[in-house]
Amino acid sequence: MGSSKKLSIAVLGSGKGSNFQSIADAIEAGTLNAEVVCVISDVEDAYILERAKKLGVPAHYISAAPFKTKLAGNAEQKYIETIKEAGTEIIALAGFMRIIKPDLLEAFSGRIINIHPSLLPSFPGLAGWTQALEHGSKVAGCTVHYVDAEMDAGPIIVQEAVPVLDDDTAETLHARIQVKEHVAYPEALQLIATDAIEILGRRVVKK
Ligand code: GAR
Protein backbone atom coordinates (compact mmCIF):
# COMPACT_ATOMS: atom_id res chain seq x y z
CA MET A 1 0.00 0.00 0.00
CA GLY A 2 2.66 2.54 -0.98
CA SER A 3 1.90 6.10 -2.00
CA SER A 4 2.35 5.48 -5.74
CA LYS A 5 0.44 2.21 -6.13
CA LYS A 6 -3.33 2.41 -6.34
CA LEU A 7 -5.27 1.03 -3.38
CA SER A 8 -7.59 -1.79 -4.52
CA ILE A 9 -10.98 -1.38 -2.88
CA ALA A 10 -13.98 -3.74 -2.79
CA VAL A 11 -17.17 -1.83 -1.94
CA LEU A 12 -20.05 -3.70 -0.27
CA GLY A 13 -23.45 -2.01 -0.11
CA SER A 14 -27.14 -2.79 0.22
CA GLY A 15 -28.69 0.45 -0.96
CA LYS A 16 -28.50 3.41 -3.26
CA GLY A 17 -24.72 3.63 -3.27
CA SER A 18 -24.14 7.36 -2.91
CA ASN A 19 -21.03 6.66 -0.83
CA PHE A 20 -19.68 4.34 -3.52
CA GLN A 21 -20.36 7.15 -6.01
CA SER A 22 -18.38 9.62 -3.86
CA ILE A 23 -15.43 7.17 -3.80
CA ALA A 24 -15.59 6.75 -7.59
CA ASP A 25 -15.84 10.54 -8.03
CA ALA A 26 -12.80 11.14 -5.81
CA ILE A 27 -10.80 8.61 -7.84
CA GLU A 28 -11.89 10.32 -11.06
CA ALA A 29 -10.96 13.74 -9.61
CA GLY A 30 -7.50 12.46 -8.62
CA THR A 31 -7.96 13.09 -4.89
CA LEU A 32 -8.08 9.37 -4.06
CA ASN A 33 -5.27 7.14 -5.34
CA ALA A 34 -7.33 3.98 -5.66
CA GLU A 35 -9.34 1.67 -7.86
CA VAL A 36 -12.68 0.05 -7.04
CA VAL A 37 -12.05 -3.56 -8.10
CA CYS A 38 -15.57 -4.81 -7.37
CA VAL A 39 -18.93 -3.85 -5.92
CA ILE A 40 -20.96 -6.52 -4.13
CA SER A 41 -24.52 -6.27 -2.87
CA ASP A 42 -26.75 -8.60 -0.88
CA VAL A 43 -29.78 -6.89 -2.46
CA GLU A 44 -30.43 -7.93 -6.06
CA ASP A 45 -32.00 -4.65 -7.24
CA ALA A 46 -29.87 -2.27 -5.14
CA TYR A 47 -29.02 0.89 -7.09
CA ILE A 48 -25.36 0.56 -6.04
CA LEU A 49 -25.07 -2.31 -8.58
CA GLU A 50 -26.51 -0.09 -11.35
CA ARG A 51 -24.01 2.63 -10.51
CA ALA A 52 -21.15 0.11 -10.67
CA LYS A 53 -22.27 -1.16 -14.09
CA LYS A 54 -22.52 2.41 -15.40
CA LEU A 55 -18.95 3.07 -14.23
CA GLY A 56 -17.62 -0.20 -15.67
CA VAL A 57 -16.86 -1.65 -12.23
CA PRO A 58 -17.48 -5.42 -11.83
CA ALA A 59 -20.82 -5.72 -9.99
CA HIS A 60 -21.95 -8.83 -8.13
CA TYR A 61 -25.18 -9.73 -6.39
CA ILE A 62 -24.47 -12.37 -3.77
CA SER A 63 -27.48 -13.50 -1.77
CA ALA A 64 -26.96 -13.75 1.96
CA ALA A 65 -29.91 -16.13 2.40
CA PRO A 66 -31.12 -17.67 4.61
CA PHE A 67 -30.10 -14.97 7.10
CA LYS A 68 -31.67 -11.51 7.29
CA THR A 69 -29.09 -9.54 9.28
CA LYS A 70 -25.78 -11.33 8.93
CA LEU A 71 -23.49 -13.08 6.50
CA ALA A 72 -22.80 -16.66 7.38
CA GLY A 73 -22.00 -20.09 5.97
CA ASN A 74 -21.95 -20.46 2.19
CA ALA A 75 -22.80 -16.84 1.53
CA GLU A 76 -19.85 -15.63 3.53
CA GLN A 77 -17.49 -18.00 1.67
CA LYS A 78 -18.79 -16.65 -1.67
CA TYR A 79 -18.13 -13.09 -0.50
CA ILE A 80 -14.59 -14.02 0.55
CA GLU A 81 -13.84 -15.77 -2.77
CA THR A 82 -15.21 -12.93 -4.88
CA ILE A 83 -13.38 -10.27 -2.88
CA LYS A 84 -10.09 -12.19 -3.02
CA GLU A 85 -10.40 -12.93 -6.74
CA ALA A 86 -10.80 -9.22 -7.43
CA GLY A 87 -7.38 -8.55 -5.86
CA THR A 88 -8.79 -6.52 -2.97
CA GLU A 89 -6.59 -4.76 -0.42
CA ILE A 90 -9.33 -2.93 1.50
CA ILE A 91 -13.04 -3.66 1.95
CA ALA A 92 -15.17 -0.53 2.26
CA LEU A 93 -18.63 -1.15 3.69
CA ALA A 94 -20.92 1.53 2.27
CA GLY A 95 -24.43 1.06 3.57
CA PHE A 96 -23.94 -2.72 3.84
CA MET A 97 -26.67 -3.74 6.25
CA ARG A 98 -25.23 -7.06 7.44
CA ILE A 99 -23.07 -7.96 10.39
CA ILE A 100 -19.63 -9.16 9.28
CA LYS A 101 -18.83 -12.54 10.80
CA PRO A 102 -15.42 -13.89 11.96
CA ASP A 103 -14.44 -15.72 8.71
CA LEU A 104 -14.58 -12.56 6.61
CA LEU A 105 -13.09 -10.48 9.42
CA GLU A 106 -10.15 -12.88 9.70
CA ALA A 107 -9.62 -13.11 5.93
CA PHE A 108 -9.23 -9.31 5.81
CA SER A 109 -8.01 -8.60 9.32
CA GLY A 110 -7.49 -4.86 9.86
CA ARG A 111 -8.49 -4.20 6.26
CA ILE A 112 -12.25 -3.65 6.54
CA ILE A 113 -13.66 -0.17 7.10
CA ASN A 114 -17.22 1.12 7.47
CA ILE A 115 -19.09 4.39 7.33
CA HIS A 116 -21.72 4.93 10.00
CA PRO A 117 -24.27 7.78 10.07
CA SER A 118 -23.62 8.99 13.63
CA LEU A 119 -20.82 10.29 15.81
CA LEU A 120 -19.79 6.96 17.33
CA PRO A 121 -19.86 5.70 20.02
CA SER A 122 -23.26 7.43 20.10
CA PHE A 123 -26.04 5.70 18.23
CA PRO A 124 -24.61 2.47 16.77
CA GLY A 125 -26.98 0.18 14.89
CA LEU A 126 -29.80 1.13 12.58
CA ALA A 127 -30.66 4.66 11.34
CA GLY A 128 -28.18 6.58 13.49
CA TRP A 129 -29.66 9.89 12.28
CA THR A 130 -33.14 8.97 13.58
CA GLN A 131 -31.63 7.93 16.91
CA ALA A 132 -29.85 11.33 17.18
CA LEU A 133 -33.05 13.22 16.34
CA GLU A 134 -35.18 11.24 18.78
CA HIS A 135 -32.56 11.63 21.53
CA GLY A 136 -32.59 15.41 21.06
CA SER A 137 -28.91 15.70 20.11
CA LYS A 138 -27.82 19.16 18.92
CA VAL A 139 -24.93 17.74 16.90
CA ALA A 140 -24.98 14.67 14.65
CA GLY A 141 -22.58 13.39 12.02
CA CYS A 142 -20.77 10.46 10.51
CA THR A 143 -17.87 8.18 11.40
CA VAL A 144 -15.48 6.17 9.24
CA HIS A 145 -13.95 3.40 11.33
CA TYR A 146 -12.13 0.08 11.16
CA VAL A 147 -14.41 -2.92 11.56
CA ASP A 148 -13.81 -5.38 14.36
CA ALA A 149 -15.91 -8.08 16.01
CA GLU A 150 -18.08 -5.54 17.87
CA MET A 151 -20.76 -3.70 15.90
CA ASP A 152 -19.85 -0.08 14.97
CA ALA A 153 -17.04 -0.11 17.51
CA GLY A 154 -13.60 -0.28 15.81
CA PRO A 155 -10.93 2.45 15.84
CA ILE A 156 -12.14 5.76 14.35
CA ILE A 157 -10.39 7.13 11.25
CA VAL A 158 -12.45 10.24 10.39
CA GLN A 159 -15.50 11.94 11.93
CA GLU A 160 -17.51 14.88 10.60
CA ALA A 161 -20.20 16.75 12.54
CA VAL A 162 -23.36 18.55 11.40
CA PRO A 163 -25.88 20.60 13.41
CA VAL A 164 -29.32 19.22 14.20
CA LEU A 165 -31.83 21.96 13.34
CA ASP A 166 -35.13 22.55 15.14
CA ASP A 167 -37.19 21.82 12.04
CA ASP A 168 -35.24 18.72 10.98
CA THR A 169 -37.00 15.55 9.94
CA ALA A 170 -35.21 12.22 9.73
CA GLU A 171 -34.86 12.81 5.98
CA THR A 172 -33.37 16.33 6.18
CA LEU A 173 -30.92 15.32 8.89
CA HIS A 174 -29.81 12.20 7.02
CA ALA A 175 -29.33 14.28 3.85
CA ARG A 176 -27.10 16.75 5.77
CA ILE A 177 -25.08 13.87 7.23
CA GLN A 178 -24.68 12.27 3.81
CA VAL A 179 -23.08 15.43 2.40
CA LYS A 180 -20.37 14.97 5.05
CA GLU A 181 -20.16 11.21 4.44
CA HIS A 182 -19.28 11.86 0.82
CA VAL A 183 -16.25 13.89 1.94
CA ALA A 184 -15.24 11.73 4.90
CA TYR A 185 -15.15 8.34 3.15
CA PRO A 186 -12.79 9.28 0.30
CA GLU A 187 -10.65 11.19 2.82
CA ALA A 188 -10.31 8.13 5.09
CA LEU A 189 -9.50 5.90 2.12
CA GLN A 190 -6.84 8.32 0.90
CA LEU A 191 -5.20 8.21 4.36
CA ILE A 192 -4.99 4.43 3.95
CA ALA A 193 -3.92 4.61 0.28
CA THR A 194 -1.00 6.86 1.20
CA ASP A 195 -0.08 4.73 4.23
CA ALA A 196 -0.44 7.87 6.36
CA ILE A 197 -2.05 6.42 9.48
CA GLU A 198 -1.45 3.77 12.11
CA ILE A 199 -3.51 2.28 14.94
CA LEU A 200 -2.22 2.80 18.48
CA GLY A 201 -4.56 0.95 20.81
CA ARG A 202 -7.97 2.46 20.04
CA ARG A 203 -6.52 5.57 18.44
CA VAL A 204 -5.84 6.10 14.74
CA VAL A 205 -3.03 8.63 14.39
CA LYS A 206 -0.94 10.13 11.59
CA LYS A 207 2.41 8.34 11.14
C1 GAR B 1 -25.27 5.82 4.73
O1 GAR B 1 -25.86 6.91 5.39
C2 GAR B 1 -24.45 5.00 5.69
O2 GAR B 1 -23.83 5.77 6.67
C3 GAR B 1 -25.51 4.11 6.28
O3 GAR B 1 -26.32 3.75 5.19
C4 GAR B 1 -26.33 4.82 4.25
C5 GAR B 1 -26.00 4.26 2.88
O4 GAR B 1 -26.15 5.24 1.90
N1 GAR B 1 -24.93 2.95 6.88
C6 GAR B 1 -25.42 2.37 7.98
O5 GAR B 1 -26.42 2.75 8.54
C7 GAR B 1 -24.62 1.18 8.46
N2 GAR B 1 -25.05 0.79 9.76
P1 GAR B 1 -25.63 5.00 0.40
O6 GAR B 1 -26.18 3.65 -0.05
O7 GAR B 1 -26.23 6.13 -0.37
O8 GAR B 1 -24.13 5.01 0.42
Side-chain angles (χ1 to χ4, degrees), residues 15-19 95 97 115-117 125 174 178 181:
K16 67 183 192 294
S18 70
N19 278 288
M97 304 309 280
I115 187 150
H116 183 78
H174 188 210
Q178 285 225 282
E181 289 187 336

Side-chain angles (χ1 to χ4, degrees), residues 7-186:
L7 181 71
S8 299
I9 305 169
V11 178
L12 274 54
S14 309
K16 67 183 192 294
S18 70
N19 278 288
F20 160 58
Q21 186 72 53
S22 75
I23 292 165
D25 290 349
I27 292 170
E28 179 68 23
T31 54
L32 172 55
N33 188 27
E35 179 186 4
V36 179
V37 292
C38 68
V39 168
I40 308 178
S41 184
D42 59 320
V43 176
E44 195 164 13
D45 60 356
Y47 189 59
I48 192 171
L49 292 174
E50 283 305 308
R51 288 190 200 259
K53 286 175 201 156
K54 281 184 194 161
L55 291 166
V57 174
H60 308 272
Y61 159 61
I62 305 178
S63 167
F67 296 103
K68 284 198 162 62
T69 58
K70 63 183 179 183
L71 273 185
N74 284 347
E76 187 174 29
Q77 293 310 318
K78 279 189 207 156
Y79 273 77
I80 293 171
E81 274 167 36
T82 307
I83 292 165
K84 281 190 174 166
E85 274 167 19
T88 303
E89 291 172 295
I90 282 278
I91 300 175
L93 306 178
F96 190 64
M97 304 309 280
R98 305 247 171 201
I99 293 163
I100 304 297
K101 302 285 286 180
D103 281 1
L104 182 51
L105 271 180
E106 276 159 30
F108 285 86
S109 177
R111 296 191 289 141
I112 308 179
I113 67 173
N114 179 47
I115 187 150
H116 183 78
S118 78
L119 294 174
L120 292 171
S122 290
F123 313 128
L126 291 177
W129 63 91
T130 303
Q131 295 186 56
L133 196 61
E134 288 176 354
H135 188 81
S137 298
K138 298 297 183 194
V139 179
C142 65
T143 304
V144 183
H145 63 95
Y146 286 100
V147 174
D148 63 15
E150 304 282 312
M151 189 180 63
D152 299 329
I156 292 169
I157 306 167
V158 173
Q159 285 188 308
E160 292 285 347
V162 300
V164 180
L165 304 181
D166 288 352
D167 60 355
D168 263 335
T169 62
E171 290 71 30
T172 59
L173 180 56
H174 188 210
R176 192 174 309 114
I177 291 170
Q178 285 225 282
V179 171
K180 293 287 190 183
E181 289 187 336
H182 301 157
V183 177
Y185 219 174

